[in-house]
Amino acid sequence: MNSFKVKFLPHNKEIIVADGRILIRAAMDAGVHINASCGGEGVCGKCRVLLEEGELEGGISEKLSQEDVDNGYRLACKSKVRSDVVIRIPTESAIDTKVLAFQSTPRKTAHIRKMDFEKLKKDGLFSPPVEKIYLELSEPDTQDHLPDVTRLVSFLQLNHNEHRLVVDMKVIRKIPDIFREADFKVTVTLMRPVQEGRRTHIINIHPGDTTDRNYGIAIDIGTTTIYGQLIDLISGETISQYGEFNDQISYGEDVISRIVYAEKPGGLEKLQKVVTGSINKVINKIVTKAKIDKDYISTITLAGNTTMTQLMLNVNTKYIRRAPYVPAASIYPPIRASDLGIDLGEQVAALVYPQVSSYVGGDIVSGVMGSGMYRTDKLTLFMDIGTNAEIVIGNKEWMACAACSAGPAFEGGGIEFGMRAAKGAIEDFSIDPVSYEPMNITIGNVRPRGICGSGLIIMIATMFEMGLINNMGKFDRDIDTQRIRERNGVYEYVLAWKDDAGIDRDIVITEIDIENFIRAKGAIYSGCQTLLGEVGMSMADIEQIYLAGGFGSYVDLEKAIVIGLLPEIEHEKIIFIGNGSLMGAKMAVLTNRVRKDVVNVTRSMTNFELSETISYMDNYMAALFLPHTDMVQFPKLKARMEARIKERKRING
Amino acid sequence: MNSFKVKFLPHNKEIIVADGRILIRAAMDAGVHINASCGGEGVCGKCRVLLEEGELEGGISEKLSQEDVDNGYRLACKSKVRSDVVIRIPTESAIDTKVLAFQSTPRKTAHIRKMDFEKLKKDGLFSPPVEKIYLELSEPDTQDHLPDVTRLVSFLQLNHNEHRLVVDMKVIRKIPDIFREADFKVTVTLMRPVQEGRRTHIINIHPGDTTDRNYGIAIDIGTTTIYGQLIDLISGETISQYGEFNDQISYGEDVISRIVYAEKPGGLEKLQKVVTGSINKVINKIVTKAKIDKDYISTITLAGNTTMTQLMLNVNTKYIRRAPYVPAASIYPPIRASDLGIDLGEQVAALVYPQVSSYVGGDIVSGVMGSGMYRTDKLTLFMDIGTNAEIVIGNKEWMACAACSAGPAFEGGGIEFGMRAAKGAIEDFSIDPVSYEPMNITIGNVRPRGICGSGLIIMIATMFEMGLINNMGKFDRDIDTQRIRERNGVYEYVLAWKDDAGIDRDIVITEIDIENFIRAKGAIYSGCQTLLGEVGMSMADIEQIYLAGGFGSYVDLEKAIVIGLLPEIEHEKIIFIGNGSLMGAKMAVLTNRVRKDVVNVTRSMTNFELSETISYMDNYMAALFLPHTDMVQFPKLKARMEARIKERKRING
């Protein structure tokens, strides 16, 4: 794909963007503020910019006069970059070139790590769980009337050095007809044992040579969404993927309400059916997309939190939510997928990721495996922030983990206009340092309907940096802007006036929202601190951070440090692994090595119940500030803020 | 039970019988002929005997005059022995004391071998497949919130040195509630691996201490009848047993007609359902009889011929009846009983006995295991004569086996009045050497309706010994009795006149019947000879014979030698093992050693297709005589017959 240089004046900032990038997003990427209220739908007309050089696609709107258009004015939110361009932000948008120094920093999202199958092989971590072998057997006659299965097994022993074979019942049922239909030329599918010395199962047989068709499925059973990938076991490639709501949502949004439902008569069985129904939707979608025959699928791995796992396996979840919070099991035996109601052939064994505790589940273990954290020397902080927040600290030698009672603020919960990362959610934001006008960018470039988690982080960090709120999250009562107001005794900032909004109200962020948000980030940060403290270490010892969860991909690292969610660390050392649960599930589909290692890894993960850890409450109280009471932990931020205050004083005279 | 001495005059023969033995059967046991046509129903009145000393119960009939009764005459078929007695056979029944020398020999049935659990243990063959352990676990608290399953497994590792444990999914589902219901005091059921080094499965859990309740089931899937035993795994005792027709009979009497039915659309699935339905009837009967809870049943072993096994497992039987007669498999993996439709809990794994070939199946392998043949040094001939006849020759070092195309003569097939061993079947027989009047004894002591297999052997042997038929099975045309007659050009002997019979016809045995019978016994004998010949041995090398099958228990060994079904061997060396298939199934329920050994034993059994073995036809032709063309193989019989001829000449002058 082509990429182009975009230069913003008078800031004199440059950024390289991909062909077709929307101009207002390019500005945000570069850390250039442009007033924008309507999220990018093109209705507020505030993001008027002047195209000085190069070409833009679109950007002409009724919000602009013909004269403006003729002079090169465009709406930034409706323009796509199609060449190198030079863009001038008009003074009515930027107000005063003096304040350019206060502009937001460019977006710095984490480096994305993807799974590298070839590297996996190179590192000796590849030990295929499923293999196919094509065989040309001799036909029986009056001198040789070996039983069909014996003929097969003997041939494999003699010609392929395959021993300790078990032929599954379903395969035995197919063999007599397939042998004769295919003139004794067949392909067998072998399932390798995870532990050496155990037996290889022949789990399927096909007429002719089908060795080029060999697939597995990885599933992440999220409380909200179920993701699936269809994986080619030969190339290691994901050939199709799909996400679908977990239909259990109708029975409760979070795990606790699901457990409550499961305690009703027939509730557990109902939820089991519902979740497998959703899993089946995902499976059928990825299979249809890839146009493959389901009979070539040989393995499925599923990862989910403890509640999702137990519900999927039809195991009573009652004791998960009752002290002392005991899950049914850590490690589950492989189980036939069809026995769970999963719509795959009897040949498919389902491997379920193990759980550490009631609130550190298979999704986290899967993330630890998928990210490679369990193989690293470096002291690593693994964070998965979703409906719940789980953290793991450690390296290949040891690991400590905990679930943080962060609440759902990062998914918009407990925030008046909070919402999931869906169309209309403000996902990016900046503030004009002088006029305090906002720059709202929404998912889907439509009028704002609310604020999603990553937007919230940017918003609160920006307001803190710009001095709109103090380190306790309270608005500066002295700032002269109608966007900050008091309503029912609570201060709030108006992000979008009703006219610019996608709903029939002003969209605001209140001090209560900010307080809830600070509690959430404080719970996570103090959780990390507490875990480290328990092993005699501190935040300064962390060598790298793995961010898992859909959330992590959009988080502006700088901003996450500013609010005190992440410790102050070089950006290069923060690695986004995406859906860690799905990644680990995929790894286990591809190699038995992971299936084997996961047992020891799970055992080595020491779970801490933070509420029962004495130091936790102190750490938590200290973290209820932006970024923290102890600024020594954020030396660079501290320096930057002091410089900024000095600069502002200098400008303001 | 009391036993009494019965003395028969004028023969001067004595026999010890159990209290209540019917007098006519006591006479047969002693080899004393009493004329009797009506099978023991008391209607022909021919078995009139004089009680000289002691007491009989019953025997008074309208067939006897009051004077006869007062003088001590009784009907032998209606009298029960209740003390030591002296009985005189009246001259009109015995005709001539001169002929006493020709009396039949006393019945000599084979020694019955039963399974000895204590000996099994002593011989080091006991390695229990299922064990139960009672545990008192500590309860979780805030300091100890191990997952439930981890708590269980750790306790077993630490306190019971149990390693490599797998907890089955069904057990995991039960654990959370049972732990709390039983205050963490539970009994677990462990299924041991057959191969050392493999894993022990926890297959069940119960609240409290249930270690005293531990059961298994053994099933013999016969083509005609399904037998089941419920076995106490602690004592080794069979606590209840039951036999039930295999309802597949409605779809064909023999295996071939079942296979034909299975080839129809839906036929295989239908027959699978029908046979498991019959198995379930047996299981529910033995469980109800024993008044136990099915949840304490942990294992089931099934043995059947190759066709029965494949039908039960829903495996296409089509190729069993087509050259080159290839079965689907030899060894089947363990399969969950409930997956087969067997009405037992999910904890129960079904073990199915392996097959050697299409016509030497799991019932035979099971007999070889159950009889201990696979552990003996002695060259052993194992014979299972039922709907089909299978033979195994060998010892612990080697085994050769074959199926004989004997046809169903031993079950009454191809015999005009042949019938199964049911009520009214003539099961014992003798002939007056002078009058040629018969002594018929029937199952149930009712009027004769036909002849069963064991009766047929005795009948033909007796007729041969008495000179009624020659060594080709042809009646002596010169004998002066109306019982031998020609009908439609075929000679026959009238066993029961219509008036004495339980059906509305004379009951006869014809030369065609005898010819069919000789072909059947010839096929078996020559099968044994051929197998021995293939390994360079002869009948004379046989050190012992194991007779399996319901048939074997009633066979008069002497008579079976006379007709040339069994080789001439000391009676003590012929051991009846009863239902060998059921015995082997029971052994496998009780010890893993058998489950392990059976794999090697099955592999070591070399199958011969007799029809493709060159020497077979010669051997067969030579065996189509009574007892055989080669009398050198029957030296004692030859000597006895020569003596008898001499004696008859002497008497007849």
Side-chain angles (χ1 to χ4, degrees), chain B residues 376-381 393-395 532 537-546 567 569-575:
Chain B
T376 184
D377 294 311
K378 294 183 184 166
L379 182 66
T380 304
L381 166 60
I393 287 173
N395 55 28
L532 284 161
M537 298 180 125
S538 78
M539 283 290 199
D541 296 314
I542 289 173
E543 293 173 278
Q544 60 181 357
I545 297 176
Y546 287 161
I569 189 172
E570 292 88 334
H571 299 162
E572 304 71 47
K573 293 181 178 168
I574 303 178
I575 294 144

PDB file of all heavy atoms in Angstrom, chain B residues 376-381 393-395 532 537-546 567 569-575:
ATOM      1  N   THR B 376      -1.071 -72.806  30.017  1.00  0.00           N
ATOM      2  CA  THR B 376      -0.718 -74.198  30.291  1.00  0.00           C
ATOM      3  C   THR B 376       0.471 -74.662  29.442  1.00  0.00           C
ATOM      4  O   THR B 376       0.680 -74.183  28.331  1.00  0.00           O
ATOM      5  CB  THR B 376      -1.937 -75.120  30.044  1.00  0.00           C
ATOM      6  OG1 THR B 376      -1.576 -76.447  30.410  1.00  0.00           O
ATOM      7  CG2 THR B 376      -2.361 -75.106  28.587  1.00  0.00           C
ATOM      8  N   ASP B 377       1.235 -75.589  30.018  1.00  0.00           N
ATOM      9  CA  ASP B 377       2.327 -76.217  29.277  1.00  0.00           C
ATOM     10  C   ASP B 377       1.810 -77.329  28.368  1.00  0.00           C
ATOM     11  O   ASP B 377       2.427 -77.658  27.364  1.00  0.00           O
ATOM     12  CB  ASP B 377       3.327 -76.876  30.246  1.00  0.00           C
ATOM     13  CG  ASP B 377       4.030 -75.848  31.102  1.00  0.00           C
ATOM     14  OD1 ASP B 377       4.529 -74.862  30.531  1.00  0.00           O
ATOM     15  OD2 ASP B 377       4.064 -76.025  32.334  1.00  0.00           O
ATOM     16  N   LYS B 378       0.687 -77.924  28.790  1.00  0.00           N
ATOM     17  CA  LYS B 378       0.175 -79.120  28.104  1.00  0.00           C
ATOM     18  C   LYS B 378      -0.421 -78.788  26.743  1.00  0.00           C
ATOM     19  O   LYS B 378      -1.098 -77.767  26.590  1.00  0.00           O
ATOM     20  CB  LYS B 378      -0.910 -79.768  28.955  1.00  0.00           C
ATOM     21  CG  LYS B 378      -0.394 -80.329  30.267  1.00  0.00           C
ATOM     22  CD  LYS B 378      -1.524 -81.017  31.012  1.00  0.00           C
ATOM     23  CE  LYS B 378      -1.031 -81.495  32.380  1.00  0.00           C
ATOM     24  NZ  LYS B 378      -2.156 -81.863  33.244  1.00  0.00           N
ATOM     25  N   LEU B 379      -0.202 -79.703  25.799  1.00  0.00           N
ATOM     26  CA  LEU B 379      -0.836 -79.531  24.488  1.00  0.00           C
ATOM     27  C   LEU B 379      -2.333 -79.743  24.675  1.00  0.00           C
ATOM     28  O   LEU B 379      -2.776 -80.831  25.073  1.00  0.00           O
ATOM     29  CB  LEU B 379      -0.282 -80.530  23.468  1.00  0.00           C
ATOM     30  CG  LEU B 379      -0.916 -80.326  22.073  1.00  0.00           C
ATOM     31  CD1 LEU B 379      -0.506 -78.988  21.488  1.00  0.00           C
ATOM     32  CD2 LEU B 379      -0.541 -81.463  21.142  1.00  0.00           C
ATOM     33  N   THR B 380      -3.082 -78.700  24.423  1.00  0.00           N
ATOM     34  CA  THR B 380      -4.503 -78.699  24.748  1.00  0.00           C
ATOM     35  C   THR B 380      -5.344 -78.535  23.490  1.00  0.00           C
ATOM     36  O   THR B 380      -4.994 -77.771  22.598  1.00  0.00           O
ATOM     37  CB  THR B 380      -4.789 -77.536  25.727  1.00  0.00           C
ATOM     38  OG1 THR B 380      -3.939 -77.680  26.864  1.00  0.00           O
ATOM     39  CG2 THR B 380      -6.247 -77.520  26.160  1.00  0.00           C
ATOM     40  N   LEU B 381      -6.446 -79.276  23.475  1.00  0.00           N
ATOM     41  CA  LEU B 381      -7.449 -79.091  22.419  1.00  0.00           C
ATOM     42  C   LEU B 381      -8.638 -78.387  23.051  1.00  0.00           C
ATOM     43  O   LEU B 381      -9.217 -78.889  24.022  1.00  0.00           O
ATOM     44  CB  LEU B 381      -7.877 -80.453  21.848  1.00  0.00           C
ATOM     45  CG  LEU B 381      -9.139 -80.457  20.971  1.00  0.00           C
ATOM     46  CD1 LEU B 381      -8.976 -79.565  19.751  1.00  0.00           C
ATOM     47  CD2 LEU B 381      -9.477 -81.893  20.550  1.00  0.00           C
ATOM     48  N   ILE B 393      -5.902 -75.332  19.142  1.00  0.00           N
ATOM     49  CA  ILE B 393      -4.939 -76.323  19.611  1.00  0.00           C
ATOM     50  C   ILE B 393      -3.665 -75.591  19.972  1.00  0.00           C
ATOM     51  O   ILE B 393      -3.247 -74.673  19.260  1.00  0.00           O
ATOM     52  CB  ILE B 393      -4.668 -77.380  18.507  1.00  0.00           C
ATOM     53  CG1 ILE B 393      -5.889 -78.292  18.382  1.00  0.00           C
ATOM     54  CG2 ILE B 393      -3.424 -78.203  18.826  1.00  0.00           C
ATOM     55  CD1 ILE B 393      -5.809 -79.252  17.229  1.00  0.00           C
ATOM     56  N   GLY B 394      -3.077 -75.997  21.095  1.00  0.00           N
ATOM     57  CA  GLY B 394      -1.811 -75.370  21.450  1.00  0.00           C
ATOM     58  C   GLY B 394      -1.600 -75.329  22.944  1.00  0.00           C
ATOM     59  O   GLY B 394      -2.239 -76.065  23.706  1.00  0.00           O
ATOM     60  N   ASN B 395      -0.719 -74.441  23.366  1.00  0.00           N
ATOM     61  CA  ASN B 395      -0.441 -74.250  24.785  1.00  0.00           C
ATOM     62  C   ASN B 395       0.098 -72.836  24.959  1.00  0.00           C
ATOM     63  O   ASN B 395      -0.114 -71.987  24.096  1.00  0.00           O
ATOM     64  CB  ASN B 395       0.561 -75.298  25.288  1.00  0.00           C
ATOM     65  CG  ASN B 395       1.837 -75.295  24.460  1.00  0.00           C
ATOM     66  OD1 ASN B 395       2.225 -74.272  23.899  1.00  0.00           O
ATOM     67  ND2 ASN B 395       2.480 -76.439  24.357  1.00  0.00           N
ATOM     68  N   LEU B 532      -3.502 -80.037  13.727  1.00  0.00           N
ATOM     69  CA  LEU B 532      -2.350 -80.742  14.294  1.00  0.00           C
ATOM     70  C   LEU B 532      -1.348 -81.078  13.202  1.00  0.00           C
ATOM     71  O   LEU B 532      -0.141 -80.898  13.380  1.00  0.00           O
ATOM     72  CB  LEU B 532      -2.819 -82.016  15.000  1.00  0.00           C
ATOM     73  CG  LEU B 532      -3.485 -81.785  16.365  1.00  0.00           C
ATOM     74  CD1 LEU B 532      -4.324 -82.994  16.766  1.00  0.00           C
ATOM     75  CD2 LEU B 532      -2.435 -81.482  17.429  1.00  0.00           C
ATOM     76  N   MET B 537       1.946 -82.481  14.200  1.00  0.00           N
ATOM     77  CA  MET B 537       1.563 -83.315  15.331  1.00  0.00           C
ATOM     78  C   MET B 537       0.349 -84.140  14.968  1.00  0.00           C
ATOM     79  O   MET B 537      -0.215 -84.013  13.880  1.00  0.00           O
ATOM     80  CB  MET B 537       1.230 -82.431  16.531  1.00  0.00           C
ATOM     81  CG  MET B 537       2.427 -81.606  16.992  1.00  0.00           C
ATOM     82  SD  MET B 537       1.995 -80.594  18.411  1.00  0.00           S
ATOM     83  CE  MET B 537       3.258 -81.114  19.542  1.00  0.00           C
ATOM     84  N   SER B 538      -0.051 -84.997  15.918  1.00  0.00           N
ATOM     85  CA  SER B 538      -1.251 -85.805  15.667  1.00  0.00           C
ATOM     86  C   SER B 538      -2.124 -85.838  16.922  1.00  0.00           C
ATOM     87  O   SER B 538      -1.719 -85.368  17.985  1.00  0.00           O
ATOM     88  CB  SER B 538      -0.859 -87.223  15.276  1.00  0.00           C
ATOM     89  OG  SER B 538      -0.492 -87.940  16.436  1.00  0.00           O
ATOM     90  N   MET B 539      -3.310 -86.453  16.785  1.00  0.00           N
ATOM     91  CA  MET B 539      -4.255 -86.537  17.888  1.00  0.00           C
ATOM     92  C   MET B 539      -3.621 -87.163  19.126  1.00  0.00           C
ATOM     93  O   MET B 539      -3.967 -86.826  20.251  1.00  0.00           O
ATOM     94  CB  MET B 539      -5.468 -87.369  17.470  1.00  0.00           C
ATOM     95  CG  MET B 539      -6.433 -86.614  16.565  1.00  0.00           C
ATOM     96  SD  MET B 539      -7.320 -85.314  17.464  1.00  0.00           S
ATOM     97  CE  MET B 539      -8.717 -85.034  16.362  1.00  0.00           C
ATOM     98  N   ALA B 540      -2.686 -88.085  18.900  1.00  0.00           N
ATOM     99  CA  ALA B 540      -2.077 -88.794  20.023  1.00  0.00           C
ATOM    100  C   ALA B 540      -1.266 -87.863  20.926  1.00  0.00           C
ATOM    101  O   ALA B 540      -1.002 -88.179  22.088  1.00  0.00           O
ATOM    102  CB  ALA B 540      -1.174 -89.907  19.492  1.00  0.00           C
ATOM    103  N   ASP B 541      -0.892 -86.724  20.386  1.00  0.00           N
ATOM    104  CA  ASP B 541      -0.088 -85.788  21.183  1.00  0.00           C
ATOM    105  C   ASP B 541      -0.920 -84.958  22.164  1.00  0.00           C
ATOM    106  O   ASP B 541      -0.372 -84.304  23.054  1.00  0.00           O
ATOM    107  CB  ASP B 541       0.666 -84.826  20.251  1.00  0.00           C
ATOM    108  CG  ASP B 541       1.674 -85.564  19.377  1.00  0.00           C
ATOM    109  OD1 ASP B 541       2.412 -86.406  19.939  1.00  0.00           O
ATOM    110  OD2 ASP B 541       1.706 -85.311  18.160  1.00  0.00           O
ATOM    111  N   ILE B 542      -2.232 -84.984  21.984  1.00  0.00           N
ATOM    112  CA  ILE B 542      -3.081 -84.133  22.827  1.00  0.00           C
ATOM    113  C   ILE B 542      -3.041 -84.587  24.283  1.00  0.00           C
ATOM    114  O   ILE B 542      -3.229 -85.761  24.579  1.00  0.00           O
ATOM    115  CB  ILE B 542      -4.533 -84.128  22.303  1.00  0.00           C
ATOM    116  CG1 ILE B 542      -4.554 -83.345  20.987  1.00  0.00           C
ATOM    117  CG2 ILE B 542      -5.491 -83.509  23.312  1.00  0.00           C
ATOM    118  CD1 ILE B 542      -5.862 -83.393  20.276  1.00  0.00           C
ATOM    119  N   GLU B 543      -2.760 -83.642  25.171  1.00  0.00           N
ATOM    120  CA  GLU B 543      -2.646 -83.988  26.590  1.00  0.00           C
ATOM    121  C   GLU B 543      -3.911 -83.682  27.374  1.00  0.00           C
ATOM    122  O   GLU B 543      -4.133 -84.220  28.446  1.00  0.00           O
ATOM    123  CB  GLU B 543      -1.447 -83.252  27.192  1.00  0.00           C
ATOM    124  CG  GLU B 543      -0.131 -83.751  26.607  1.00  0.00           C
ATOM    125  CD  GLU B 543       1.060 -82.924  27.067  1.00  0.00           C
ATOM    126  OE1 GLU B 543       1.295 -81.847  26.462  1.00  0.00           O
ATOM    127  OE2 GLU B 543       1.725 -83.330  28.027  1.00  0.00           O
ATOM    128  N   GLN B 544      -4.695 -82.741  26.884  1.00  0.00           N
ATOM    129  CA  GLN B 544      -5.973 -82.492  27.565  1.00  0.00           C
ATOM    130  C   GLN B 544      -6.933 -81.803  26.602  1.00  0.00           C
ATOM    131  O   GLN B 544      -6.525 -81.212  25.595  1.00  0.00           O
ATOM    132  CB  GLN B 544      -5.781 -81.645  28.834  1.00  0.00           C
ATOM    133  CG  GLN B 544      -5.174 -80.286  28.570  1.00  0.00           C
ATOM    134  CD  GLN B 544      -4.981 -79.477  29.845  1.00  0.00           C
ATOM    135  OE1 GLN B 544      -5.339 -79.899  30.932  1.00  0.00           O
ATOM    136  NE2 GLN B 544      -4.412 -78.292  29.710  1.00  0.00           N
ATOM    137  N   ILE B 545      -8.208 -81.914  26.937  1.00  0.00           N
ATOM    138  CA  ILE B 545      -9.246 -81.305  26.110  1.00  0.00           C
ATOM    139  C   ILE B 545     -10.085 -80.387  26.976  1.00  0.00           C
ATOM    140  O   ILE B 545     -10.484 -80.758  28.089  1.00  0.00           O
ATOM    141  CB  ILE B 545     -10.154 -82.386  25.478  1.00  0.00           C
ATOM    142  CG1 ILE B 545      -9.324 -83.275  24.532  1.00  0.00           C
ATOM    143  CG2 ILE B 545     -11.318 -81.747  24.726  1.00  0.00           C
ATOM    144  CD1 ILE B 545     -10.106 -84.435  23.937  1.00  0.00           C
ATOM    145  N   TYR B 546     -10.294 -79.165  26.501  1.00  0.00           N
ATOM    146  CA  TYR B 546     -11.242 -78.268  27.167  1.00  0.00           C
ATOM    147  C   TYR B 546     -12.500 -78.195  26.310  1.00  0.00           C
ATOM    148  O   TYR B 546     -12.428 -77.861  25.127  1.00  0.00           O
ATOM    149  CB  TYR B 546     -10.658 -76.860  27.289  1.00  0.00           C
ATOM    150  CG  TYR B 546      -9.560 -76.712  28.322  1.00  0.00           C
ATOM    151  CD1 TYR B 546      -8.681 -75.622  28.269  1.00  0.00           C
ATOM    152  CD2 TYR B 546      -9.408 -77.616  29.371  1.00  0.00           C
ATOM    153  CE1 TYR B 546      -7.679 -75.459  29.215  1.00  0.00           C
ATOM    154  CE2 TYR B 546      -8.412 -77.469  30.322  1.00  0.00           C
ATOM    155  CZ  TYR B 546      -7.548 -76.397  30.241  1.00  0.00           C
ATOM    156  OH  TYR B 546      -6.569 -76.235  31.179  1.00  0.00           O
ATOM    157  N   PRO B 567     -11.210 -87.388  20.365  1.00  0.00           N
ATOM    158  CA  PRO B 567     -10.199 -88.446  20.239  1.00  0.00           C
ATOM    159  C   PRO B 567     -10.222 -89.315  21.499  1.00  0.00           C
ATOM    160  O   PRO B 567     -10.737 -88.907  22.530  1.00  0.00           O
ATOM    161  CB  PRO B 567      -8.890 -87.662  20.133  1.00  0.00           C
ATOM    162  CG  PRO B 567      -9.159 -86.370  20.816  1.00  0.00           C
ATOM    163  CD  PRO B 567     -10.604 -86.062  20.589  1.00  0.00           C
ATOM    164  N   ILE B 569      -9.119 -90.528  24.709  1.00  0.00           N
ATOM    165  CA  ILE B 569      -8.262 -89.938  25.736  1.00  0.00           C
ATOM    166  C   ILE B 569      -8.896 -90.238  27.088  1.00  0.00           C
ATOM    167  O   ILE B 569     -10.111 -90.453  27.163  1.00  0.00           O
ATOM    168  CB  ILE B 569      -8.131 -88.410  25.487  1.00  0.00           C
ATOM    169  CG1 ILE B 569      -7.071 -87.766  26.385  1.00  0.00           C
ATOM    170  CG2 ILE B 569      -9.459 -87.705  25.636  1.00  0.00           C
ATOM    171  CD1 ILE B 569      -6.794 -86.307  26.012  1.00  0.00           C
ATOM    172  N   GLU B 570      -8.084 -90.297  28.150  1.00  0.00           N
ATOM    173  CA  GLU B 570      -8.652 -90.586  29.472  1.00  0.00           C
ATOM    174  C   GLU B 570      -9.669 -89.504  29.833  1.00  0.00           C
ATOM    175  O   GLU B 570      -9.443 -88.318  29.621  1.00  0.00           O
ATOM    176  CB  GLU B 570      -7.548 -90.599  30.551  1.00  0.00           C
ATOM    177  CG  GLU B 570      -6.581 -91.741  30.434  1.00  0.00           C
ATOM    178  CD  GLU B 570      -5.408 -91.414  29.523  1.00  0.00           C
ATOM    179  OE1 GLU B 570      -5.558 -90.546  28.623  1.00  0.00           O
ATOM    180  OE2 GLU B 570      -4.338 -92.008  29.702  1.00  0.00           O
ATOM    181  N   HIS B 571     -10.759 -89.957  30.448  1.00  0.00           N
ATOM    182  CA  HIS B 571     -11.830 -89.012  30.778  1.00  0.00           C
ATOM    183  C   HIS B 571     -11.355 -87.883  31.692  1.00  0.00           C
ATOM    184  O   HIS B 571     -11.830 -86.763  31.603  1.00  0.00           O
ATOM    185  CB  HIS B 571     -12.992 -89.744  31.451  1.00  0.00           C
ATOM    186  CG  HIS B 571     -13.599 -90.779  30.577  1.00  0.00           C
ATOM    187  ND1 HIS B 571     -14.394 -91.792  31.034  1.00  0.00           N
ATOM    188  CD2 HIS B 571     -13.522 -90.976  29.229  1.00  0.00           C
ATOM    189  CE1 HIS B 571     -14.770 -92.560  30.031  1.00  0.00           C
ATOM    190  NE2 HIS B 571     -14.245 -92.091  28.925  1.00  0.00           N
ATOM    191  N   GLU B 572     -10.416 -88.204  32.548  1.00  0.00           N
ATOM    192  CA  GLU B 572      -9.948 -87.196  33.510  1.00  0.00           C
ATOM    193  C   GLU B 572      -9.283 -86.015  32.797  1.00  0.00           C
ATOM    194  O   GLU B 572      -9.101 -84.950  33.356  1.00  0.00           O
ATOM    195  CB  GLU B 572      -8.924 -87.792  34.485  1.00  0.00           C
ATOM    196  CG  GLU B 572      -9.394 -89.017  35.250  1.00  0.00           C
ATOM    197  CD  GLU B 572      -9.502 -90.231  34.336  1.00  0.00           C
ATOM    198  OE1 GLU B 572      -8.551 -90.482  33.563  1.00  0.00           O
ATOM    199  OE2 GLU B 572     -10.557 -90.904  34.361  1.00  0.00           O
ATOM    200  N   LYS B 573      -8.864 -86.279  31.563  1.00  0.00           N
ATOM    201  CA  LYS B 573      -8.149 -85.224  30.830  1.00  0.00           C
ATOM    202  C   LYS B 573      -9.092 -84.357  29.995  1.00  0.00           C
ATOM    203  O   LYS B 573      -8.641 -83.495  29.256  1.00  0.00           O
ATOM    204  CB  LYS B 573      -7.073 -85.859  29.952  1.00  0.00           C
ATOM    205  CG  LYS B 573      -5.985 -86.496  30.792  1.00  0.00           C
ATOM    206  CD  LYS B 573      -4.909 -87.111  29.967  1.00  0.00           C
ATOM    207  CE  LYS B 573      -3.814 -87.686  30.874  1.00  0.00           C
ATOM    208  NZ  LYS B 573      -2.888 -88.541  30.116  1.00  0.00           N
ATOM    209  N   ILE B 574     -10.374 -84.663  30.118  1.00  0.00           N
ATOM    210  CA  ILE B 574     -11.363 -83.842  29.412  1.00  0.00           C
ATOM    211  C   ILE B 574     -12.042 -82.948  30.438  1.00  0.00           C
ATOM    212  O   ILE B 574     -12.623 -83.433  31.408  1.00  0.00           O
ATOM    213  CB  ILE B 574     -12.408 -84.711  28.697  1.00  0.00           C
ATOM    214  CG1 ILE B 574     -11.686 -85.675  27.732  1.00  0.00           C
ATOM    215  CG2 ILE B 574     -13.393 -83.828  27.935  1.00  0.00           C
ATOM    216  CD1 ILE B 574     -12.629 -86.607  27.005  1.00  0.00           C
ATOM    217  N   ILE B 575     -11.887 -81.677  30.264  1.00  0.00           N
ATOM    218  CA  ILE B 575     -12.385 -80.728  31.270  1.00  0.00           C
ATOM    219  C   ILE B 575     -13.444 -79.832  30.643  1.00  0.00           C
ATOM    220  O   ILE B 575     -13.216 -79.213  29.603  1.00  0.00           O
ATOM    221  CB  ILE B 575     -11.210 -79.890  31.810  1.00  0.00           C
ATOM    222  CG1 ILE B 575     -10.261 -80.825  32.575  1.00  0.00           C
ATOM    223  CG2 ILE B 575     -11.708 -78.780  32.732  1.00  0.00           C
ATOM    224  CD1 ILE B 575      -8.832 -80.462  32.415  1.00  0.00           C
TER     225      ILE B 575
END
